[in-house]
Amino acid sequence: MEIIHLTDKARIEAFLRQDPGLHVYGLGDLDEFFWPQTAWYGWEKAGVLREIAFLYAGPGPATVVGISRKLAAMRKLLWEITPLLPQRFYAHFSPGVEKLFMRTHRVQSHGLHYKMILRETSRVANIDCSTVFRLTTADRDDLAGLYDESYPGNWFDPRMLETGQYFGLRSENRLVSVAGVHVYSEQFRVAAIGNVVTHPDHRNRGYGKLVTARLCQSLAEKTDHIGLNVKADNAPALACYRGLGFETVAPYGEFTIEKTQGAAGAITSERG
């Protein structure tokens, strides 16, 4: 068994493609837009890549992603690369992986989440989204204002507006609902939906469903896999996504993890 630092995109992609629904974020992070902000590690045995974990160090807190259906292998890999990880990081781990860090780190859970995937797009294709419009960089201030008021602390990289994959709905000339992407790659044909929010004064009107449906219609033209992450106790969001045809792929947990010496407060902003 050998732990290696992976730099070959094709090799990483081939591994992740074995379970694309589970690894939408990872596949998207191979795109050159994200790639320079990532570090990839693999567990190799007899020349065969058996497991992958990676660190994303873009805007916001550094995030370690250890998502796998083979928990023992993932724990082994993370144990070996722990000295290479930041003293403090956010984590997306398959349930049980976090136990690896409990003796040497403070582990604060941010709850159970689900990975979901849109396996077929016929349902969203038939939804009338004529009231929804595509956002541009000119809408950045309006979007930031909506997030500040309705979704404080969310992870948002303003550069993602340049993808053209943010959609919104206005009421009385005010942006009140929006859906966008955390990850988007035409090259690797994947997208991860994120930053979905409706102003509290305009909820329960179906706006979230409309903007998300319009986003999915657009993404379906450029990608083969559309996924998202959602907190397991967010019943309204789950109902919306299931109503659009999304299915649960796997559970996972989100955590703040920090070495016990000199530990500080929890990280409150995360990517997806």
Side-chain angles (χ1 to χ4, degrees):
M1 187 273 288
E2 183 182 4
I3 302 300
I4 56 176
H5 181 205
L6 295 166
T7 58
D8 184 343
K9 284 188 184 183
R11 193 178 189 201
I12 297 170
E13 180 185 4
F15 180 89
L16 300 180
R17 290 283 182 198
Q18 297 175 53
D19 196 343
L22 192 66
H23 298 300
V24 164
Y25 271 83
L27 287 164
D29 283 337
L30 296 177
D31 193 280
E32 194 56 36
F33 185 89
F34 304 104
W35 174 257
Q37 302 160 16
T38 61
W40 299 78
Y41 303 95
W43 176 16
E44 185 181 69
K45 187 175 182 181
V48 177
L49 193 57
R50 305 299 178 94
E51 195 52 90
I52 283 180
F54 70 97
L55 171 69
Y56 178 84
T63 301
V64 176
V65 179
I67 301 294
S68 176
R69 300 193 191 277
K70 299 174 288 186
L71 300 187
M74 179 56 72
R75 284 194 291 262
K76 176 63 175 176
L77 172 56
L78 289 170
W79 172 257
E80 294 292 339
I81 68 171
T82 294
L84 305 176
L85 301 179
Q87 298 282 312
R88 183 171 183 252
F89 57 88
Y90 205 84
H92 290 195
F93 287 159
S94 293
V97 171
E98 76 283 356
K99 295 178 181 178
L100 169 71
F101 293 92
M102 287 183 172
R103 290 188 178 182
T104 56
H105 294 66
R106 289 184 179 175
V107 177
Q108 180 178 353
S109 173
H110 298 289
L112 183 68
H113 291 65
Y114 295 137
K115 287 189 168 293
M116 305 186 80
I117 198 79
L118 187 63
R119 298 200 185 277
E120 56 87 20
T121 59
S122 60
R123 196 176 303 180
V124 296
N126 293 322
I127 296 176
D128 179 6
C129 302
S130 57
T131 57
V132 179
F133 69 99
R134 191 186 302 267
L135 276 68
T136 70
T137 54
D139 298 297
R140 182 175 299 170
D141 290 345
D142 286 349
L143 182 59
L146 176 61
Y147 286 145
D148 286 345
E149 188 173 2
S150 307
Y151 197 1
N154 76 306
W155 186 92
F156 172 60
D157 183 347
R159 298 179 303 163
M160 296 306 293
L161 271 174
E162 299 170 15
T163 65
Q165 301 296 345
Y166 271 72
F167 289 86
L169 192 150
R170 292 187 183 276
S171 176
E172 298 179 353
N173 205 35
R174 180 184 182 186
L175 185 64
V176 297
S177 187
V178 69
V181 288
H182 279 151
V183 170
Y184 176 69
S185 174
E186 293 183 17
Q187 178 184 355
F188 293 96
R189 298 193 63 81
V190 295
I193 292 174
N195 294 320
V196 180
V197 68
T198 298
H199 190 281
D201 292 344
H202 296 267
R203 290 175 183 168
N204 301 314
R205 302 179 188 181
Y207 291 171
K209 181 177 180 179
L210 281 177
V211 293
T212 305
R214 179 64 188 93
L215 172 61
C216 290
Q217 291 170 359
S218 177
L219 293 174
E221 299 173 1
K222 301 286 187 178
T223 68
D224 299 321
H225 302 288
I226 303 171
L228 58 85
N229 295 340
V230 61
K231 201 166 184 182
D233 63 1
N234 189 342
L238 282 168
C240 172
Y241 298 140
R242 287 170 177 159
L244 292 172
F246 281 86
E247 301 174 13
T248 300
V249 174
Y252 78 98
E254 296 192 6
F255 306 90
T256 296
I257 297 181
E258 184 172 12
K259 281 196 172 180
T260 52
Q261 296 91 342
I267 301 169
T268 59
S269 178
E270 73 281 357
R271 180 182 184 231

